[in-house]
Amino acid sequence: PTRATDGSRAAMRLTLHTNYALRALIRLAAADGKLITIDEIAESFDISKQHLKKVVNDLRRSGYLNTVRGRNGGVRLRRRPRDIKVGQVVRDTEALKVVGCMKRRGYCPIQRICVARGAISDATEAFLAVLDACTLADLVKRQRASQSMPQLFDQQAMRVTRRSAINAQTRI
């Protein structure tokens, strides 16, 4: 079993390719149709531009993105964020056959009578079903909500600071 850095068992891990694909899609969905460059996406997440180029090309070939070449070019979503299910993105970017016998016949001598294969297949389908219930629009909504909380607290702190400064000036 793989161990996480904190000593606990590591959870199921998606590849870096899928991680970058989801990040890019979230960034593009948040742009509301505006063209975004690969440089902007890479910079916003501090990720490899070279790797991101490959990911964007795969997403384009899979029908998620439109690309515009040239000086004012960039990428944008081909479909609405609410029409892109996270589970499908994961299916399109991951090799989800977690054990060899799921990939090909004859891999294991007990394949015909193995009970683990069915359980692993069921677990993978359950994992994807949870992700299928989530769209790209849902992720963007969560991202915006989490980003607005610190801004809200910062604005409240600034109001308190301004009031304190105003009160201090009126006392003088």
Side-chain angles (χ1 to χ4, degrees), residues 1-13:
T2 306
R3 295 278 172 192
T5 54
D6 66 357
S8 64
R9 283 190 174 202
M12 181 174 176
R13 299 181 93 168

Side-chain angles (χ1 to χ4, degrees), residues 12-15 17-19 21-22 25 59 64 84-96 124 127-128 131-132 139:
M12 181 174 176
R13 299 181 93 168
L14 298 175
T15 62
H17 189 84
T18 300
N19 182 325
L22 290 170
L25 290 170
L59 290 171
Y64 293 104
I84 299 174
K85 292 186 178 196
V86 175
Q88 189 59 51
V89 174
V90 171
R91 282 182 190 87
D92 291 343
T93 57
E94 286 287 327
L96 290 171
T124 302
F127 169 72
L128 290 169
L131 295 178
D132 282 337
L139 295 181

Side-chain angles (χ1 to χ4, degrees), residues 24-64:
L25 290 170
I26 291 166
R27 176 67 175 88
L28 293 166
D32 295 320
K34 179 183 166 211
L35 282 173
I36 303 293
T37 66
I38 289 174
D39 286 346
E40 288 174 296
I41 298 168
E43 211 172 279
S44 65
F45 293 113
D46 193 27
I47 58 180
S48 163
K49 186 174 127 180
Q50 290 307 108
H51 193 145
L52 186 60
K53 282 181 181 181
K54 294 174 190 172
V55 170
V56 165
N57 190 42
D58 287 348
L59 290 171
R60 181 192 56 78
R61 278 192 267 124
S62 296
Y64 293 104

